Amino acid sequence: MAQDRAGYAIYGTVVDQSGEPLPASILIHELGKGTAASLDGSFRISGLNPGNYHLHITHVGYKSLTRTISLESSDQELQFVMAETAITLQSLTIEANPFKNGAVEQSQSIEVVDRDFIEKNNSGTFSNALEKLPGISTINTGVGISKPVIRGMSFNRIMVNDRGIKQEGQQWGADHGLEIDPFDVDRVEIVKGPASLIYGSDGMSGVINISPAPLPDEGTIRGHLINSYRTNNNMRSHSAMVEGNENDIVFKARFTAQDFQDYRVPAERFTYAGFELPVYENRLKNTAGRERHFSLMAGMRKDWGKSTITVSQFNQKAGIFTGAVGIPNSYNLRHNGDYGNIEFPRQDNMHLKVISNTSVQWKKHWLEIDLAYQRNNRLEESLPHIHGIGPTPEGNLALALFLDTYTANARLNYHINPKHQSILGIQATLMENNFGGFEFLLPEFNSLSTGLFYFHEYRKTDNLILNAGLRLDGARHDIQAHYQPVYDNALNPTGETVQRNPDIDRNFFNLSGSTGLSWIINQVNNVKFNFGSSFRIPTPIELSTNGVHHGNFRHELGDANLNSERSFQADLNYTYSRQNFLVGISPFVSYYDGYIYLAPTGRFSTLPGAGTLWEYRQNNAFFTGGELKLEWVPVSGLTATIAAEYVYNYNLDSGLPLPLTPPASLLSGIEWTLPDGFSRVADNGYLYLEYRQVAAQQRVDRNERVTSGYGLLAAGIGWELPVRQQTWKLQISGENLLDTFYFNHLSRYRLLNLPEQGRNVNINLKIPFRIK
């Protein structure tokens, strides 16, 4: 065919295995541009420059396809044959992986969830929505504060990438939640296992990639309203979004408001430091919160690529249970009648991000550039006398942490030929931390880190794909000494000071590498193997902290002599997949040389209101475990699922387990999709029932408590309602339906013998709209 006036075109047909046409979606990854095949299966995308492109082909009820094509000097005709599947997971593509190819070709275990999954499992925070995936758990502080755990590791061993930029928000703290609006997430890809090569040293145990939705179609302006209500703590959530595309100038805006009250627990009393105290009206005092978030995106899409800039801000004020600072008594545990009142102690967090994402075609290849500025303000407020001091000029501001982060990433995706492709990348991050308040936890510091990596993929045959790469990193931490005022017994300053941390100036250099393969034995069997040696640089908090971390109810002490930890990790994944059945097994094993962790000492701190002393240590450690996922569709419309996980670790120096290890768990579920015509007023209905069994965790570190096992029942129903040419979506779900009394081993409130939330019912209504 002749060349279009504005470039070349790809065209062709999409059919199933019997040759019947399919109206599938075809998307060009690099341009965020696509089309839908017509009813006869034909499609055409015009205006393309010569070059290499990655295509994603998807259709409901069929396995997704990913193809790499090379346009030279003429239009190209293509035919895609899609295999039918009843397994939902196989209809999702992977877009945030290095080579933009399919899930089967990747040598690592990758879980993918889309907006439908997140909305269906929304529990108020982004991290908690991921807990139904095998190998993923969370560390919680109450309701609104949670952070992800992958294979028993969290904090600075997990990277969260939002639009290609690593989220930097004091993630070292267990009580510091992930500053992500749960409604502003369209797609998540979780890389389990060593991912430091591509993403940096903090990707040692995994990476959570948050990808934006595809750019809206040209000539459209649309959006939605989401309203939800959770009964346990009267959480009210409202989120509004509008997006559009005029002549390939695109925009998107979202605003979210979320308010919640003190949450209910199935208990009337709890034990604190040997004292038995009441839980009035089954509500935990001062666990309410308020959130206001927004994001704005604008950009363009041209034949040379695309470029967007996104400005977002996360704002959260959350109460911390009264016993977090000082010893509670019956008086200050009593409610004042306002369950939504956010009293002291509390957190006031703000996270601002300005992110620029650009993909530019360079000759036949693609250059991706991500630039960002982040500002994280974390304010912890409480009454000074609880900390053993009198009134201060800072008032009730106990601790303020101000972190500025500047990030620049560049990657050149170089397609050599159909068998070879490579990526050359460079990353740089500058962090500046300042603090305020009358308490001390983390000093002022500057941190500069850079990384250079090369990654190569070799398709030896159509069914055997190999990859390997190397990475060189360097970093410098410049940490300032801090001297803290001393107070007398009358809570007056004496004029004397005590040094809480010395000046620390440390440089680190490391080399890491990995290799892997994916062997597609046949259409139903796939084996993956990945081996890597990665490292993690000790953070400023691990080197220099020496203060009371009230959100964790303990005194935390750093060690200025910590060295980089080195890991040797191997992952194996086997997947057996048929049209109505899928089983995946993912064992892993890791050895850590100089594993850095925070451990209880069994001693009480000498600082006021501090509780026990925990210190950062470095020991050799061993990790192993695995995940199992199963999805079976015995008859049309009925799906059974199983997700299991287990982590075993061992401190090779002390001979004990490592602290805060998640217990083994098994999540079983069954879902029935209501048949067409089941209801005259509703479409696409479903019912589901789930039961999670969590084992007791008796493998604990010295001075760490064991946790009993428990079982939780959940259920839900959802359907779509046609209203004025739009489809409203209503979902009702319930968690802990039996109002079970249990302790979450990873919960911060577990240290206070406080149980988790009781019965909770969530009602969610999504109202789409279209302006043009």
mmCIF file of all heavy atoms in Angstrom, residues 103-111 134 151 192 517-521 524-531 570-577 582-589 625-629:
data_model
loop_
_atom_site.group_PDB
_atom_site.id
_atom_site.type_symbol
_atom_site.label_atom_id
_atom_site.label_comp_id
_atom_site.label_asym_id
_atom_site.label_seq_id
_atom_site.Cartn_x
_atom_site.Cartn_y
_atom_site.Cartn_z
ATOM 1 N N ALA A 103 3.920 -10.862 29.378
ATOM 2 C CA ALA A 103 4.208 -11.455 30.683
ATOM 3 C C ALA A 103 4.983 -12.753 30.551
ATOM 4 O O ALA A 103 5.816 -13.076 31.393
ATOM 5 C CB ALA A 103 2.896 -11.702 31.429
ATOM 6 N N VAL A 104 4.733 -13.498 29.501
ATOM 7 C CA VAL A 104 5.389 -14.795 29.338
ATOM 8 C C VAL A 104 6.884 -14.619 29.075
ATOM 9 O O VAL A 104 7.714 -15.387 29.546
ATOM 10 C CB VAL A 104 4.726 -15.581 28.187
ATOM 11 C CG1 VAL A 104 5.474 -16.875 27.904
ATOM 12 C CG2 VAL A 104 3.276 -15.879 28.527
ATOM 13 N N GLU A 105 7.251 -13.571 28.324
ATOM 14 C CA GLU A 105 8.650 -13.364 27.962
ATOM 15 C C GLU A 105 9.500 -12.895 29.132
ATOM 16 O O GLU A 105 10.725 -13.000 29.104
ATOM 17 C CB GLU A 105 8.753 -12.351 26.819
ATOM 18 C CG GLU A 105 8.263 -12.879 25.471
ATOM 19 C CD GLU A 105 6.780 -12.639 25.264
ATOM 20 O OE1 GLU A 105 6.097 -12.349 26.258
ATOM 21 O OE2 GLU A 105 6.322 -12.733 24.117
ATOM 22 N N GLN A 106 8.903 -12.348 30.178
ATOM 23 C CA GLN A 106 9.657 -11.825 31.306
ATOM 24 C C GLN A 106 10.243 -12.955 32.147
ATOM 25 O O GLN A 106 9.592 -13.981 32.367
ATOM 26 C CB GLN A 106 8.750 -10.959 32.183
ATOM 27 C CG GLN A 106 8.318 -9.670 31.516
ATOM 28 C CD GLN A 106 9.481 -8.756 31.234
ATOM 29 O OE1 GLN A 106 10.154 -8.286 32.134
ATOM 30 N NE2 GLN A 106 9.729 -8.514 29.963
ATOM 31 N N SER A 107 11.464 -12.758 32.670
ATOM 32 C CA SER A 107 12.080 -13.799 33.493
ATOM 33 C C SER A 107 11.702 -13.658 34.959
ATOM 34 O O SER A 107 12.027 -14.541 35.763
ATOM 35 C CB SER A 107 13.611 -13.739 33.355
ATOM 36 O OG SER A 107 14.115 -12.507 33.842
ATOM 37 N N GLN A 108 11.025 -12.586 35.341
ATOM 38 C CA GLN A 108 10.631 -12.374 36.727
ATOM 39 C C GLN A 108 9.135 -12.590 36.907
ATOM 40 O O GLN A 108 8.361 -12.549 35.941
ATOM 41 C CB GLN A 108 11.000 -10.970 37.187
ATOM 42 C CG GLN A 108 12.493 -10.755 37.335
ATOM 43 C CD GLN A 108 12.804 -9.380 37.871
ATOM 44 O OE1 GLN A 108 12.477 -8.380 37.261
ATOM 45 N NE2 GLN A 108 13.442 -9.337 39.024
ATOM 46 N N SER A 109 8.744 -12.803 38.164
ATOM 47 C CA SER A 109 7.325 -12.935 38.489
ATOM 48 C C SER A 109 6.714 -11.543 38.572
ATOM 49 O O SER A 109 7.168 -10.702 39.345
ATOM 50 C CB SER A 109 7.147 -13.666 39.822
ATOM 51 O OG SER A 109 7.686 -14.965 39.760
ATOM 52 N N ILE A 110 5.687 -11.305 37.765
ATOM 53 C CA ILE A 110 5.047 -9.998 37.721
ATOM 54 C C ILE A 110 3.541 -10.176 37.881
ATOM 55 O O ILE A 110 2.920 -10.969 37.162
ATOM 56 C CB ILE A 110 5.347 -9.256 36.406
ATOM 57 C CG1 ILE A 110 6.862 -9.066 36.231
ATOM 58 C CG2 ILE A 110 4.645 -7.913 36.374
ATOM 59 C CD1 ILE A 110 7.258 -8.351 34.965
ATOM 60 N N GLU A 111 2.968 -9.481 38.844
ATOM 61 C CA GLU A 111 1.521 -9.465 39.021
ATOM 62 C C GLU A 111 0.969 -8.151 38.457
ATOM 63 O O GLU A 111 1.564 -7.082 38.661
ATOM 64 C CB GLU A 111 1.162 -9.557 40.507
ATOM 65 C CG GLU A 111 1.677 -10.794 41.215
ATOM 66 C CD GLU A 111 0.815 -12.005 40.962
ATOM 67 O OE1 GLU A 111 -0.249 -11.858 40.334
ATOM 68 O OE2 GLU A 111 1.201 -13.101 41.400
ATOM 69 N N PRO A 134 -0.842 -12.817 45.932
ATOM 70 C CA PRO A 134 0.080 -13.661 46.705
ATOM 71 C C PRO A 134 1.451 -13.010 46.842
ATOM 72 O O PRO A 134 1.987 -12.451 45.890
ATOM 73 C CB PRO A 134 0.151 -14.949 45.873
ATOM 74 C CG PRO A 134 -0.256 -14.535 44.491
ATOM 75 C CD PRO A 134 -1.248 -13.436 44.660
ATOM 76 N N ARG A 151 7.203 -10.300 50.059
ATOM 77 C CA ARG A 151 8.010 -11.440 50.506
ATOM 78 C C ARG A 151 8.727 -11.149 51.826
ATOM 79 O O ARG A 151 9.890 -11.480 52.003
ATOM 80 C CB ARG A 151 9.001 -11.834 49.421
ATOM 81 C CG ARG A 151 8.322 -12.417 48.187
ATOM 82 C CD ARG A 151 9.299 -12.778 47.097
ATOM 83 N NE ARG A 151 8.630 -13.570 46.047
ATOM 84 C CZ ARG A 151 9.209 -13.972 44.933
ATOM 85 N NH1 ARG A 151 10.478 -13.668 44.714
ATOM 86 N NH2 ARG A 151 8.532 -14.678 44.038
ATOM 87 N N LYS A 192 8.133 -9.015 41.658
ATOM 88 C CA LYS A 192 8.586 -9.689 42.871
ATOM 89 C C LYS A 192 9.975 -10.264 42.644
ATOM 90 O O LYS A 192 10.243 -10.900 41.632
ATOM 91 C CB LYS A 192 7.598 -10.790 43.266
ATOM 92 C CG LYS A 192 6.255 -10.239 43.726
ATOM 93 C CD LYS A 192 5.328 -11.329 44.209
ATOM 94 C CE LYS A 192 4.813 -12.194 43.093
ATOM 95 N NZ LYS A 192 3.778 -13.151 43.538
ATOM 96 N N LEU A 517 15.941 -16.184 32.335
ATOM 97 C CA LEU A 517 15.410 -16.765 31.109
ATOM 98 C C LEU A 517 13.927 -17.054 31.270
ATOM 99 O O LEU A 517 13.415 -17.212 32.385
ATOM 100 C CB LEU A 517 16.159 -18.045 30.733
ATOM 101 C CG LEU A 517 16.101 -19.244 31.690
ATOM 102 C CD1 LEU A 517 14.858 -20.109 31.466
ATOM 103 C CD2 LEU A 517 17.343 -20.098 31.554
ATOM 104 N N SER A 518 13.251 -17.106 30.151
ATOM 105 C CA SER A 518 11.868 -17.570 30.091
ATOM 106 C C SER A 518 11.783 -18.618 28.989
ATOM 107 O O SER A 518 12.090 -18.339 27.823
ATOM 108 C CB SER A 518 10.907 -16.416 29.796
ATOM 109 O OG SER A 518 9.582 -16.894 29.664
ATOM 110 N N TRP A 519 11.397 -19.836 29.394
ATOM 111 C CA TRP A 519 11.290 -20.955 28.461
ATOM 112 C C TRP A 519 9.813 -21.290 28.279
ATOM 113 O O TRP A 519 9.157 -21.776 29.192
ATOM 114 C CB TRP A 519 12.070 -22.154 28.995
ATOM 115 C CG TRP A 519 12.009 -23.366 28.107
ATOM 116 C CD1 TRP A 519 11.795 -23.403 26.758
ATOM 117 C CD2 TRP A 519 12.183 -24.727 28.521
ATOM 118 N NE1 TRP A 519 11.815 -24.692 26.301
ATOM 119 C CE2 TRP A 519 12.053 -25.531 27.357
ATOM 120 C CE3 TRP A 519 12.441 -25.334 29.750
ATOM 121 C CZ2 TRP A 519 12.166 -26.907 27.412
ATOM 122 C CZ3 TRP A 519 12.552 -26.711 29.794
ATOM 123 C CH2 TRP A 519 12.418 -27.487 28.645
ATOM 124 N N ILE A 520 9.301 -20.983 27.092
ATOM 125 C CA ILE A 520 7.903 -21.263 26.767
ATOM 126 C C ILE A 520 7.872 -22.674 26.176
ATOM 127 O O ILE A 520 8.034 -22.868 24.959
ATOM 128 C CB ILE A 520 7.352 -20.219 25.774
ATOM 129 C CG1 ILE A 520 7.615 -18.805 26.304
ATOM 130 C CG2 ILE A 520 5.862 -20.439 25.529
ATOM 131 C CD1 ILE A 520 7.362 -17.720 25.290
ATOM 132 N N ILE A 521 7.673 -23.651 27.044
ATOM 133 C CA ILE A 521 7.788 -25.049 26.623
ATOM 134 C C ILE A 521 6.761 -25.359 25.539
ATOM 135 O O ILE A 521 7.072 -25.945 24.510
ATOM 136 C CB ILE A 521 7.608 -25.971 27.842
ATOM 137 C CG1 ILE A 521 8.682 -25.657 28.897
ATOM 138 C CG2 ILE A 521 7.667 -27.435 27.418
ATOM 139 C CD1 ILE A 521 8.488 -26.403 30.200
ATOM 140 N N VAL A 524 0.913 -24.282 27.042
ATOM 141 C CA VAL A 524 0.357 -24.356 28.400
ATOM 142 C C VAL A 524 1.422 -24.331 29.493
ATOM 143 O O VAL A 524 1.091 -24.138 30.662
ATOM 144 C CB VAL A 524 -0.535 -25.612 28.566
ATOM 145 C CG1 VAL A 524 -1.728 -25.551 27.633
ATOM 146 C CG2 VAL A 524 0.280 -26.873 28.346
ATOM 147 N N ASN A 525 2.685 -24.540 29.149
ATOM 148 C CA ASN A 525 3.742 -24.611 30.160
ATOM 149 C C ASN A 525 4.784 -23.516 29.936
ATOM 150 O O ASN A 525 5.276 -23.338 28.819
ATOM 151 C CB ASN A 525 4.436 -25.978 30.118
ATOM 152 C CG ASN A 525 3.525 -27.106 30.572
ATOM 153 O OD1 ASN A 525 3.302 -27.293 31.763
ATOM 154 N ND2 ASN A 525 3.004 -27.852 29.600
ATOM 155 N N ASN A 526 5.117 -22.817 31.003
ATOM 156 C CA ASN A 526 6.119 -21.752 30.952
ATOM 157 C C ASN A 526 6.979 -21.815 32.214
ATOM 158 O O ASN A 526 6.450 -21.873 33.333
ATOM 159 C CB ASN A 526 5.426 -20.385 30.832
ATOM 160 C CG ASN A 526 6.403 -19.225 30.850
ATOM 161 O OD1 ASN A 526 6.119 -18.179 31.412
ATOM 162 N ND2 ASN A 526 7.555 -19.375 30.225
ATOM 163 N N VAL A 527 8.301 -21.818 32.034
ATOM 164 C CA VAL A 527 9.241 -21.827 33.150
ATOM 165 C C VAL A 527 10.101 -20.576 33.069
ATOM 166 O O VAL A 527 10.624 -20.245 32.001
ATOM 167 C CB VAL A 527 10.136 -23.086 33.124
ATOM 168 C CG1 VAL A 527 11.208 -23.002 34.210
ATOM 169 C CG2 VAL A 527 9.308 -24.340 33.311
ATOM 170 N N LYS A 528 10.251 -19.899 34.217
ATOM 171 C CA LYS A 528 11.094 -18.710 34.295
ATOM 172 C C LYS A 528 12.118 -18.899 35.406
ATOM 173 O O LYS A 528 11.819 -19.514 36.434
ATOM 174 C CB LYS A 528 10.256 -17.464 34.607
ATOM 175 C CG LYS A 528 9.155 -17.167 33.619
ATOM 176 C CD LYS A 528 8.387 -15.933 34.061
ATOM 177 C CE LYS A 528 7.244 -15.617 33.115
ATOM 178 N NZ LYS A 528 6.559 -14.362 33.506
ATOM 179 N N PHE A 529 13.289 -18.346 35.184
ATOM 180 C CA PHE A 529 14.331 -18.376 36.209
ATOM 181 C C PHE A 529 15.065 -17.049 36.185
ATOM 182 O O PHE A 529 15.350 -16.502 35.112
ATOM 183 C CB PHE A 529 15.313 -19.517 35.967
ATOM 184 C CG PHE A 529 16.465 -19.521 36.945
ATOM 185 C CD1 PHE A 529 16.272 -19.943 38.250
ATOM 186 C CD2 PHE A 529 17.715 -19.074 36.566
ATOM 187 C CE1 PHE A 529 17.325 -19.936 39.153
ATOM 188 C CE2 PHE A 529 18.774 -19.064 37.453
ATOM 189 C CZ PHE A 529 18.570 -19.498 38.760
ATOM 190 N N ASN A 530 15.338 -16.518 37.363
ATOM 191 C CA ASN A 530 16.055 -15.256 37.457
ATOM 192 C C ASN A 530 17.044 -15.322 38.623
ATOM 193 O O ASN A 530 16.690 -15.757 39.721
ATOM 194 C CB ASN A 530 15.080 -14.093 37.673
ATOM 195 C CG ASN A 530 15.685 -12.756 37.301
ATOM 196 O OD1 ASN A 530 15.706 -12.388 36.131
ATOM 197 N ND2 ASN A 530 16.177 -12.030 38.281
ATOM 198 N N PHE A 531 18.286 -14.915 38.359
ATOM 199 C CA PHE A 531 19.307 -14.881 39.400
ATOM 200 C C PHE A 531 19.985 -13.526 39.373
ATOM 201 O O PHE A 531 20.326 -13.011 38.300
ATOM 202 C CB PHE A 531 20.350 -15.976 39.197
ATOM 203 C CG PHE A 531 21.494 -15.895 40.182
ATOM 204 C CD1 PHE A 531 21.324 -16.347 41.486
ATOM 205 C CD2 PHE A 531 22.708 -15.347 39.822
ATOM 206 C CE1 PHE A 531 22.360 -16.250 42.402
ATOM 207 C CE2 PHE A 531 23.751 -15.262 40.734
ATOM 208 C CZ PHE A 531 23.571 -15.706 42.029
ATOM 209 N N ALA A 570 17.693 -15.894 43.944
ATOM 210 C CA ALA A 570 17.260 -16.733 42.835
ATOM 211 C C ALA A 570 15.746 -16.918 42.910
ATOM 212 O O ALA A 570 15.196 -17.170 43.990
ATOM 213 C CB ALA A 570 17.957 -18.085 42.871
ATOM 214 N N ASP A 571 15.082 -16.764 41.767
ATOM 215 C CA ASP A 571 13.626 -16.921 41.675
ATOM 216 C C ASP A 571 13.299 -17.910 40.571
ATOM 217 O O ASP A 571 13.903 -17.879 39.487
ATOM 218 C CB ASP A 571 12.959 -15.587 41.340
ATOM 219 C CG ASP A 571 12.986 -14.614 42.486
ATOM 220 O OD1 ASP A 571 14.037 -13.971 42.700
ATOM 221 O OD2 ASP A 571 11.961 -14.505 43.171
ATOM 222 N N LEU A 572 12.337 -18.774 40.845
ATOM 223 C CA LEU A 572 11.845 -19.723 39.858
ATOM 224 C C LEU A 572 10.338 -19.556 39.756
ATOM 225 O O LEU A 572 9.660 -19.342 40.774
ATOM 226 C CB LEU A 572 12.190 -21.157 40.274
ATOM 227 C CG LEU A 572 11.752 -22.280 39.324
ATOM 228 C CD1 LEU A 572 12.534 -22.199 38.014
ATOM 229 C CD2 LEU A 572 11.945 -23.645 39.988
ATOM 230 N N ASN A 573 9.821 -19.607 38.541
ATOM 231 C CA ASN A 573 8.374 -19.504 38.353
ATOM 232 C C ASN A 573 7.937 -20.528 37.312
ATOM 233 O O ASN A 573 8.518 -20.612 36.227
ATOM 234 C CB ASN A 573 7.977 -18.095 37.907
ATOM 235 C CG ASN A 573 6.485 -17.977 37.633
ATOM 236 O OD1 ASN A 573 6.039 -18.189 36.516
ATOM 237 N ND2 ASN A 573 5.724 -17.632 38.651
ATOM 238 N N TYR A 574 6.934 -21.312 37.681
ATOM 239 C CA TYR A 574 6.350 -22.265 36.746
ATOM 240 C C TYR A 574 4.861 -21.979 36.628
ATOM 241 O O TYR A 574 4.154 -21.849 37.650
ATOM 242 C CB TYR A 574 6.555 -23.712 37.202
ATOM 243 C CG TYR A 574 5.732 -24.705 36.404
ATOM 244 C CD1 TYR A 574 6.053 -24.987 35.079
ATOM 245 C CD2 TYR A 574 4.625 -25.322 36.969
ATOM 246 C CE1 TYR A 574 5.297 -25.876 34.342
ATOM 247 C CE2 TYR A 574 3.861 -26.216 36.237
ATOM 248 C CZ TYR A 574 4.190 -26.491 34.922
ATOM 249 O OH TYR A 574 3.436 -27.357 34.181
ATOM 250 N N THR A 575 4.381 -21.868 35.396
ATOM 251 C CA THR A 575 2.965 -21.597 35.151
ATOM 252 C C THR A 575 2.397 -22.637 34.193
ATOM 253 O O THR A 575 2.987 -22.903 33.127
ATOM 254 C CB THR A 575 2.758 -20.195 34.552
ATOM 255 O OG1 THR A 575 3.300 -19.224 35.440
ATOM 256 C CG2 THR A 575 1.285 -19.911 34.347
ATOM 257 N N TYR A 576 1.294 -23.227 34.608
ATOM 258 C CA TYR A 576 0.531 -24.140 33.752
ATOM 259 C C TYR A 576 -0.796 -23.461 33.451
ATOM 260 O O TYR A 576 -1.559 -23.115 34.365
ATOM 261 C CB TYR A 576 0.305 -25.469 34.465
ATOM 262 C CG TYR A 576 -0.535 -26.464 33.685
ATOM 263 C CD1 TYR A 576 0.049 -27.314 32.758
ATOM 264 C CD2 TYR A 576 -1.909 -26.546 33.897
ATOM 265 C CE1 TYR A 576 -0.715 -28.224 32.045
ATOM 266 C CE2 TYR A 576 -2.682 -27.451 33.194
ATOM 267 C CZ TYR A 576 -2.083 -28.290 32.267
ATOM 268 O OH TYR A 576 -2.842 -29.188 31.564
ATOM 269 N N SER A 577 -1.075 -23.241 32.168
ATOM 270 C CA SER A 577 -2.227 -22.418 31.808
ATOM 271 C C SER A 577 -3.011 -23.046 30.666
ATOM 272 O O SER A 577 -2.459 -23.313 29.583
ATOM 273 C CB SER A 577 -1.748 -21.019 31.407
ATOM 274 O OG SER A 577 -2.797 -20.259 30.869
ATOM 275 N N LEU A 582 -5.538 -22.194 35.513
ATOM 276 C CA LEU A 582 -4.189 -21.641 35.629
ATOM 277 C C LEU A 582 -3.656 -21.942 37.009
ATOM 278 O O LEU A 582 -4.345 -21.754 38.017
ATOM 279 C CB LEU A 582 -4.184 -20.132 35.370
ATOM 280 C CG LEU A 582 -2.825 -19.422 35.472
ATOM 281 C CD1 LEU A 582 -2.731 -18.297 34.449
ATOM 282 C CD2 LEU A 582 -2.594 -18.837 36.870
ATOM 283 N N VAL A 583 -2.409 -22.412 37.057
ATOM 284 C CA VAL A 583 -1.729 -22.585 38.328
ATOM 285 C C VAL A 583 -0.312 -22.054 38.172
ATOM 286 O O VAL A 583 0.357 -22.323 37.165
ATOM 287 C CB VAL A 583 -1.737 -24.053 38.799
ATOM 288 C CG1 VAL A 583 -1.037 -24.949 37.795
ATOM 289 C CG2 VAL A 583 -1.097 -24.184 40.170
ATOM 290 N N GLY A 584 0.130 -21.272 39.131
ATOM 291 C CA GLY A 584 1.471 -20.720 39.109
ATOM 292 C C GLY A 584 2.161 -20.946 40.446
ATOM 293 O O GLY A 584 1.558 -20.723 41.510
ATOM 294 N N ILE A 585 3.409 -21.396 40.410
ATOM 295 C CA ILE A 585 4.199 -21.638 41.615
ATOM 296 C C ILE A 585 5.480 -20.810 41.499
ATOM 297 O O ILE A 585 6.169 -20.865 40.471
ATOM 298 C CB ILE A 585 4.538 -23.130 41.775
ATOM 299 C CG1 ILE A 585 3.259 -23.971 41.788
ATOM 300 C CG2 ILE A 585 5.339 -23.367 43.036
ATOM 301 C CD1 ILE A 585 3.507 -25.461 41.777
ATOM 302 N N SER A 586 5.796 -20.041 42.561
ATOM 303 C CA SER A 586 6.940 -19.125 42.512
ATOM 304 C C SER A 586 7.793 -19.263 43.770
ATOM 305 O O SER A 586 7.665 -18.463 44.707
ATOM 306 C CB SER A 586 6.454 -17.683 42.361
ATOM 307 O OG SER A 586 5.656 -17.518 41.218
ATOM 308 N N PRO A 587 8.693 -20.250 43.837
ATOM 309 C CA PRO A 587 9.614 -20.327 44.971
ATOM 310 C C PRO A 587 10.778 -19.344 44.803
ATOM 311 O O PRO A 587 11.125 -18.960 43.680
ATOM 312 C CB PRO A 587 10.105 -21.776 44.911
ATOM 313 C CG PRO A 587 9.996 -22.135 43.471
ATOM 314 C CD PRO A 587 8.815 -21.389 42.920
ATOM 315 N N PHE A 588 11.375 -18.943 45.918
ATOM 316 C CA PHE A 588 12.516 -18.040 45.876
ATOM 317 C C PHE A 588 13.460 -18.380 47.018
ATOM 318 O O PHE A 588 13.069 -18.972 48.034
ATOM 319 C CB PHE A 588 12.075 -16.578 45.977
ATOM 320 C CG PHE A 588 11.438 -16.208 47.294
ATOM 321 C CD1 PHE A 588 12.209 -15.726 48.352
ATOM 322 C CD2 PHE A 588 10.071 -16.350 47.487
ATOM 323 C CE1 PHE A 588 11.627 -15.390 49.564
ATOM 324 C CE2 PHE A 588 9.483 -16.013 48.696
ATOM 325 C CZ PHE A 588 10.261 -15.538 49.748
ATOM 326 N N VAL A 589 14.720 -18.004 46.861
ATOM 327 C CA VAL A 589 15.725 -18.193 47.902
ATOM 328 C C VAL A 589 16.711 -17.036 47.807
ATOM 329 O O VAL A 589 17.067 -16.596 46.705
ATOM 330 C CB VAL A 589 16.441 -19.559 47.761
ATOM 331 C CG1 VAL A 589 17.179 -19.657 46.433
ATOM 332 C CG2 VAL A 589 17.401 -19.792 48.919
ATOM 333 N N GLY A 625 11.009 -19.121 50.555
ATOM 334 C CA GLY A 625 9.551 -19.160 50.601
ATOM 335 C C GLY A 625 8.990 -19.247 49.200
ATOM 336 O O GLY A 625 9.680 -19.683 48.263
ATOM 337 N N GLY A 626 7.753 -18.829 49.050
ATOM 338 C CA GLY A 626 7.144 -18.879 47.735
ATOM 339 C C GLY A 626 5.681 -18.516 47.756
ATOM 340 O O GLY A 626 5.083 -18.285 48.815
ATOM 341 N N GLU A 627 5.124 -18.444 46.552
ATOM 342 C CA GLU A 627 3.703 -18.136 46.382
ATOM 343 C C GLU A 627 3.058 -19.161 45.453
ATOM 344 O O GLU A 627 3.726 -19.750 44.595
ATOM 345 C CB GLU A 627 3.499 -16.734 45.786
ATOM 346 C CG GLU A 627 4.055 -15.605 46.609
ATOM 347 C CD GLU A 627 5.462 -15.232 46.214
ATOM 348 O OE1 GLU A 627 5.768 -15.243 45.009
ATOM 349 O OE2 GLU A 627 6.287 -14.946 47.132
ATOM 350 N N LEU A 628 1.794 -19.344 45.669
ATOM 351 C CA LEU A 628 0.992 -20.221 44.822
ATOM 352 C C LEU A 628 -0.273 -19.474 44.438
ATOM 353 O O LEU A 628 -0.928 -18.864 45.291
ATOM 354 C CB LEU A 628 0.616 -21.508 45.568
ATOM 355 C CG LEU A 628 -0.480 -22.373 44.925
ATOM 356 C CD1 LEU A 628 0.039 -23.025 43.651
ATOM 357 C CD2 LEU A 628 -0.994 -23.424 45.900
ATOM 358 N N LYS A 629 -0.597 -19.480 43.157
ATOM 359 C CA LYS A 629 -1.878 -18.920 42.727
ATOM 360 C C LYS A 629 -2.556 -19.912 41.797
ATOM 361 O O LYS A 629 -1.912 -20.593 40.996
ATOM 362 C CB LYS A 629 -1.693 -17.568 42.044
ATOM 363 C CG LYS A 629 -0.911 -17.597 40.752
ATOM 364 C CD LYS A 629 -0.831 -16.204 40.156
ATOM 365 C CE LYS A 629 -0.013 -16.206 38.856
ATOM 366 N NZ LYS A 629 0.090 -14.843 38.277
#
